[in-house]
Amino acid sequence: MQWCFSQVKGAIDDDVAEADIISTVEFNHTGELLATGDKGGRVVIFQQEVENKNLPQFRSEYNVYSTFQSHEPEFDYLKSLEIEEKINKIRWLPQKNAAQFLLSTNDKTIKLWKISERDKRPEGYNLKEEDGRYRDPNTITALRVPILIPMDLMVEASPRRVFSNAHTYHINSVSVNSDNETYLSADDLRINLWNLEITDRSFNIVDIKPANMEELTEVITAAEFHPLQCNTFVYSSSKGTIRLCDMRVSALCDKHSKLFEEPENPSNRSFFSEIISSISDVKFSHNGRYMMTRDYLSVKIWDLNMENRPVETYQVHEYLRSKLCSLYENDCIFDKFECCWNGNDSVVMTGSYNNFFRMFERGQRRDATLEASRENSKPLQVLKPRKVCTGGKRKKDEISVDSLDFNKKILHTAWHPQDNIIAVATTNNLYIFQDKVN
Amino acid sequence: MSESISSARESRCPAVHSPKLRPSPATGDGLHIPHTPDLGSIEAPRRNEKEPRTRRICTAHEECQGHVRSMLGRGVKRKWSSLEGAEAEQLPDATATEDKRPDTALEDSEEEDRGDRWSRTDTSHLQQRQLVLSLCLEKLQHYQAGVELSLRRSVLLINTLRQIQEEMRSDGTDVRLSGVSPDTRLLRDDFREDESVTCPGCTEGDAEGPSPPPSPEPTNTAPTDLQKPPPNAVGHTFSDAGSAMGYLSDLALDDIFEDIDTSMYETSELPSAWAASSLWPVSVSFWPDDDMKPRSSAGSLQSCLLDLNELDHIMEILVKS
């Protein structure tokens, strides 16, 4: 599989404004829309142009469709703490009518946004004067029905629901249920279940807060609903475990139905073992049979029917294992990488450092390291596979581990649900790549 | 679906999680205020606000060459670079692992070599342990005013600390001699400095905290309001001043004072409790129990005054003892 550069969005200059740092990327269910959230609380939605779809060598481009400020910074006066406006997650709802809906969340508040188009406006009212004042009804002698005339497309985003005050700790995940009526939100210690229509009430379905906070040793890091079974969800922990819960068993899902955990390889034990085992993302496959987890060094694919070990493990950047102490010192070891599946669950993708991202073709047992950079951004330029040299002689075109830029991390990636189009977020730029079509 | 949910815990906003039991008074370990240890010969780079967040990873080899291709910023010369270099050399051919067996778990036979490296008597292991320990404490201590800490990060750091603790204990290493200052000394120093906290007018000046002052300068996103102590300044600034105490919020502060009172009246164990060679009583002080609302409803000013009185009282006791 070969990938070509398609587009890049965002400022070119190296001086990154903190508000522009991309914090989440998500395609909608058809892939027509691509949403990004940033640290400044804004959401930018790109739309795929459909005109050129027929041209085989030229896939449609994504252009800005809507931009809006989703969250504002807030101040918690009680604790004298600032609540960041950074968008942690965006999740699209399946489309039910002409409008699009998405959930966006910061650390404390989830909002349901409606994005609707307006491309016509009514004209021909005879009730008002030119300046907008209402005419004297006595002067109106005829009934005139206004007609709709086309206007420039206007995309409006309006907040339809605000779900707040249900999380004491920082929200890390939201996931829409397949029933399209409910969704879950997860913070470090609790998971709440919401009805999309009801904002003043949520049900707590998981609570791992110990009675004595001194005993706290594990937090929730990610949660997701099963794509097909509306009663099933999973949540991952900082200790590298994943719990699958069935909401039919009991209303409170503190007791898991399944516990997925791989026994640790004793020869790999180090001071950092627990930190690198912390799962930063969990994603079900589209067919609902597997789930993928991302920890610091690897991506693991689990069969939902087998709890004691993953069925596949892919090393993302094993060369970092000997650098863990330095990565601990500069805090990179706490970076949370996400991962994603392609449309038919045959390939998985995740990010790394130096603006590298990795792809693993499951069936072929092939993997590739690609780079998102301005240097490789000529239109339809094929991406050259990159290679990291770990020791010994460095070959030409290889990059040595010590030359990697740990400031340039790709934490967020997304794959189009049907086509081979991927969105890769560097610090403040969004790259769109598509597979090479001959 | 609604039927099964009806018996679930339902919370009306504002969140109504019923207050959990207060943490039991600290026993044995009591409070601990972690403090950047006297590192002696170990040079751990200190990160202040102005330095770039990430550092370049250097190998001894490159350092010697003096050629630093700093994509990250200036590398800091450290004695540990030799340690990293040693590790890097011992790492088996990882490229082979990556390419040939991308989908297998880490069960390479090469990994067995590592077993030797981790023998307890291994100097490099001890050195690394000391480094990780000091980094851990430094990270736990470093906190920015006005920015809520990541619970995940804190938990991971604490667990690492505990792990090292355990190892040191099983090693028979006397924790007090390990280079990490024992608790009494820290506590005394901190509390002495905190005397000024009792005076609200002095709170601003106290914002820097004890040595080392990783003076938590608010980030650029923090509103200027934070520069002025907000109404519950005393509690908050106390936690600033005793920043070694970590992430105390006003609420957790109450519990700690409660603990002190109780143990003072019951036994005279207090100093020994804190000096327990059993280490880092990694206690509730590390993260605020955010759910608890003992006084929040009473109004922040009231709680401020109450804190003030308690502080006075406690200061008296401590200074006397």
Side-chain angles (χ1 to χ4, degrees):
Chain A
M1 200 192 286
Q2 284 194 300
W3 291 90
C4 305
F5 171 82
S6 175
Q7 296 170 274
V8 60
K9 308 283 185 193
I12 299 176
D13 56 290
D14 288 331
D15 213 11
V16 180
E18 199 157 320
D20 292 338
I21 295 174
I22 298 172
S23 51
T24 184
V25 182
E26 187 83 354
F27 279 100
N28 76 336
H29 293 268
T30 60
E32 186 203 350
L33 298 175
L34 174 61
T36 61
D38 64 24
K39 207 162 178 220
R42 291 166 304 198
V43 172
V44 180
I45 302 176
F46 302 93
Q47 183 190 42
Q48 195 180 28
E49 300 299 329
V50 292
E51 286 143 23
N52 292 323
K53 249 193 162 157
N54 296 325
L55 289 169
Q57 70 272 23
F58 189 73
R59 280 257 187 56
S60 340
E61 289 204 331
Y62 283 84
N63 298 316
V64 177
Y65 179 65
S66 172
T67 305
F68 57 93
Q69 186 76 33
S70 172
H71 286 71
E72 298 277 1
E74 283 169 43
F75 193 71
D76 182 341
Y77 290 95
L78 202 62
K79 291 189 246 172
S80 294
L81 290 170
E82 198 178 273
I83 300 172
E84 272 196 305
E85 67 274 32
K86 172 168 75 88
I87 308 294
N88 292 335
K89 282 287 179 330
I90 289 175
R91 289 289 182 261
W92 291 93
L93 268 58
Q95 192 174 12
K96 278 200 280 198
N97 51 37
Q100 300 277 358
F101 288 86
L102 61 79
L103 287 169
S104 71
T105 183
N106 69 348
D107 284 338
K108 299 285 185 181
T109 305
I110 307 132
K111 293 188 185 178
L112 177 69
W113 286 89
K114 175 180 177 183
I115 297 107
S116 49
E117 290 184 4
R118 194 196 293 261
D119 61 354
K120 298 179 188 54
R121 64 184 168 86
E123 215 184 60
Y125 287 106
N126 63 339
L127 299 174
K128 289 187 192 176
E129 304 282 9
E130 291 284 326
D131 58 4
R133 284 180 304 139
Y134 278 101
R135 283 169 63 185
D136 180 3
N138 297 325
T139 62
I140 301 169
T141 53
L143 175 69
R144 200 153 64 156
V145 179
I147 56 168
L148 293 171
I149 59 164
M151 61 180 247
D152 288 340
L153 178 66
M154 204 166 73
V155 181
E156 300 167 318
S158 59
R160 303 304 281 184
R161 306 271 187 277
V162 178
F163 305 90
S164 54
N165 293 327
H167 286 280
T168 308
Y169 303 98
H170 292 176
I171 298 174
N172 53 54
S173 313
V174 290
S175 177
V176 185
N177 202 345
S178 52
D179 67 4
N180 219 358
E181 280 181 14
T182 57
Y183 76 94
L184 64 76
S185 58
D187 66 27
D188 292 316
L189 298 179
R190 298 192 178 98
I191 301 180
N192 292 332
L193 182 72
W194 301 83
N195 183 304
L196 283 164
E197 300 293 328
I198 299 168
T199 58
D200 64 350
R201 200 180 322 179
S202 74
F203 293 99
N204 178 253
I205 52 177
V206 173
D207 188 337
I208 65 168
K209 180 169 185 260
N212 184 354
M213 279 292 271
E214 290 183 51
E215 292 161 9
L216 180 66
T217 56
E218 197 174 5
V219 298
I220 297 170
T221 52
E224 194 178 59
F225 265 120
H226 191 278
L228 305 168
Q229 295 164 17
C230 60
N231 54 286
T232 307
F233 67 93
V234 292
Y235 68 93
S236 60
S237 83
S238 57
K239 283 198 167 166
T241 62
I242 309 102
R243 288 172 175 81
L244 184 141
C245 301
D246 186 338
M247 296 196 290
R248 297 171 302 189
V249 171
S250 80
L252 187 56
C253 300
D254 278 356
K255 247 178 86 178
H256 54 263
S257 299
K258 294 195 186 192
L259 175 68
F260 297 83
E261 189 174 11
E262 183 175 24
E264 193 192 355
N265 185 344
S267 60
N268 276 337
R269 183 117 189 95
S270 74
F271 299 115
F272 314 107
S273 292
E274 187 181 315
I275 299 178
I276 62 168
S277 74
S278 172
I279 292 173
S280 49
D281 195 16
V282 63
K283 291 263 169 54
F284 278 105
S285 61
H286 290 95
N287 60 19
R289 288 178 50 202
Y290 300 95
M291 67 176 175
M292 165 167 57
T293 58
R294 174 71 156 96
D295 51 73
Y296 191 64
L297 295 179
S298 67
V299 160
K300 294 180 180 171
I301 297 184
W302 304 77
D303 184 322
L304 293 184
N305 296 317
M306 188 160 76
E307 300 168 59
N308 58 353
R309 62 177 177 85
V311 289
E312 292 154 41
T313 302
Y314 301 102
Q315 302 305 328
V316 180
H317 35 221
E318 181 65 10
Y319 46 79
L320 294 183
R321 191 178 287 275
S322 59
K323 307 291 182 188
L324 291 178
C325 199
S326 303
L327 292 164
Y328 174 77
E329 193 195 344
N330 64 19
D331 264 8
C332 283
I333 207 173
F334 297 106
D335 287 338
K336 291 187 288 184
F337 292 93
E338 290 173 10
C339 53
C340 60
W341 298 84
N342 74 336
N344 59 16
D345 302 330
S346 60
V347 187
V348 296
M349 170 169 68
T350 189
S352 178
Y353 293 104
N354 208 69
N355 281 349
F356 287 173
F357 58 100
R358 301 269 283 139
M359 279 204 201
F360 303 98
E361 288 178 60
R362 297 172 65 200
Q364 324 293 342
R365 306 206 158 188
R366 269 201 305 251
D367 65 287
T369 306
L370 302 171
E371 184 180 359
S373 75
R374 293 270 175 180
E375 284 84 52
N376 307 326
S377 43
K378 292 195 218 26
L380 298 181
Q381 177 180 4
V382 177
L383 293 181
K384 215 172 43 173
R386 302 305 310 265
K387 191 105 189 307
V388 176
C389 154
T390 52
K393 271 183 84 174
R394 185 177 76 88
K395 300 195 194 88
K396 180 174 174 276
D397 282 350
E398 282 186 2
I399 182 165
S400 75
V401 183
D402 302 308
S403 305
L404 294 173
D405 189 341
F406 290 85
N407 274 331
K408 295 186 179 171
K409 44 192 104 173
I410 291 179
L411 303 172
H412 312 285
T413 58
W415 205 307
H416 190 288
Q418 279 128 30
D419 294 338
N420 280 332
I421 303 174
I422 56 177
V424 172
T426 59
T427 308
N428 66 330
N429 287 154
L430 184 72
Y431 286 79
I432 299 171
F433 303 105
Q434 60 192 43
D435 69 342
K436 186 166 186 289
V437 183
N438 290 318
Chain B
M1 184 114 140
S2 53
E3 283 80 39
S4 63
I5 288 170
S6 59
S7 56
R9 288 202 294 259
E10 181 181 327
S11 60
R12 284 185 177 274
C13 307
V16 204
H17 302 288
S18 50
K20 302 272 197 233
L21 296 169
R22 285 166 172 260
S24 49
T27 51
D29 296 343
L31 288 172
H32 166 70
I33 298 175
H35 186 68
T36 303
D38 174 21
L39 298 172
S41 63
I42 298 159
E43 204 189 302
R46 304 229 172 125
R47 191 181 69 201
N48 59 41
E49 291 305 308
K50 306 216 170 90
E51 280 179 20
R53 281 212 80 207
T54 51
R55 297 239 180 85
R56 197 173 154 253
I57 291 175
C58 311
T59 56
H61 181 62
E62 279 205 47
E63 289 238 40
C64 293
Q65 282 186 334
H67 162 65
V68 174
R69 197 147 49 108
S70 58
M71 290 167 108
L72 285 183
R74 301 280 160 255
V76 174
K77 261 207 174 143
R78 301 173 2 221
K79 292 173 188 175
W80 297 114
S81 53
S82 55
L83 177 65
E84 294 281 31
E87 284 191 44
E89 279 150 18
Q90 288 190 39
L91 182 69
D93 188 3
T95 41
T97 314
E98 257 191 82
D99 296 342
K100 289 172 191 158
R101 289 174 286 182
D103 55 347
T104 56
L106 287 169
E107 278 160 6
D108 306 351
S109 54
E110 304 132 316
E111 304 299 339
E112 286 165 354
D113 295 343
R114 293 165 176 263
D116 300 332
R117 288 205 290 126
W118 294 126
S119 67
R120 296 292 173 78
T121 52
D122 194 3
T123 337
S124 67
H125 176 80
L126 289 173
Q127 283 181 325
Q128 196 190 54
R129 183 169 77 187
Q130 190 60 39
L131 172 65
V132 176
L133 175 64
S134 59
L135 285 173
C136 211
L137 294 172
E138 189 186 318
K139 285 176 192 299
L140 284 167
Q141 199 180 336
H142 176 93
Y143 106 104
Q144 285 175 312
V147 178
E148 209 169 347
L149 290 158
S150 159
L151 193 61
R152 170 184 168 260
R153 185 166 178 269
S154 305
V155 168
L156 289 172
L157 286 169
I158 302 279
N159 288 350
T160 307
L161 198 57
R162 279 182 176 145
Q163 183 193 336
I164 295 177
Q165 209 168 286
E166 276 303 312
E167 203 183 281
M168 284 172 105
R169 227 195 316 191
S170 63
D171 264 0
T173 313
D174 186 353
V175 158
R176 275 183 292 195
L177 301 174
S178 68
V180 181
S181 309
D183 311 338
T184 357
R185 187 178 71 89
L186 303 175
L187 280 173
R188 292 260 167 80
D189 288 344
D190 292 339
F191 277 172
R192 240 178 246 129
E193 278 176 56
D194 296 332
E195 276 187 47
S196 51
V197 170
T198 59
C199 159
C202 305
T203 52
E204 284 193 29
D206 248 356
E208 291 199 339
S211 60
S215 51
E217 281 170 16
T219 59
N220 50 9
T221 56
T224 48
D225 293 339
L226 286 174
Q227 305 287 357
K228 291 199 189 110
N232 42 1
V234 173
H236 188 58
T237 315
F238 179 83
S239 53
D240 268 327
S243 66
M245 283 176 94
Y247 323 97
L248 292 176
S249 70
D250 318 339
L251 308 174
L253 206 59
D254 299 334
D255 305 323
I256 285 159
F257 287 148
E258 206 163 301
D259 294 346
I260 293 174
D261 283 341
T262 315
S263 47
M264 278 310 297
Y265 294 139
E266 283 166 4
T267 62
S268 56
E269 251 179 358
L270 192 59
S272 57
W274 288 348
S277 61
S278 55
L279 11 118
W280 293 266
V282 178
S283 72
V284 69
S285 52
F286 279 107
W287 37 69
D289 197 350
D290 290 340
D291 287 338
M292 308 189 51
K293 304 173 199 261
R295 297 236 188 84
S296 55
S297 48
S300 50
L301 188 58
Q302 275 181 344
S303 63
C304 172
L305 291 169
L306 282 163
D307 287 347
L308 203 50
N309 291 332
E310 282 189 321
L311 275 168
D312 271 332
H313 180 59
I314 284 138
M315 284 316 307
E316 268 179 64
I317 295 168
L318 285 169
V319 168
K320 279 179 201 160
S321 67

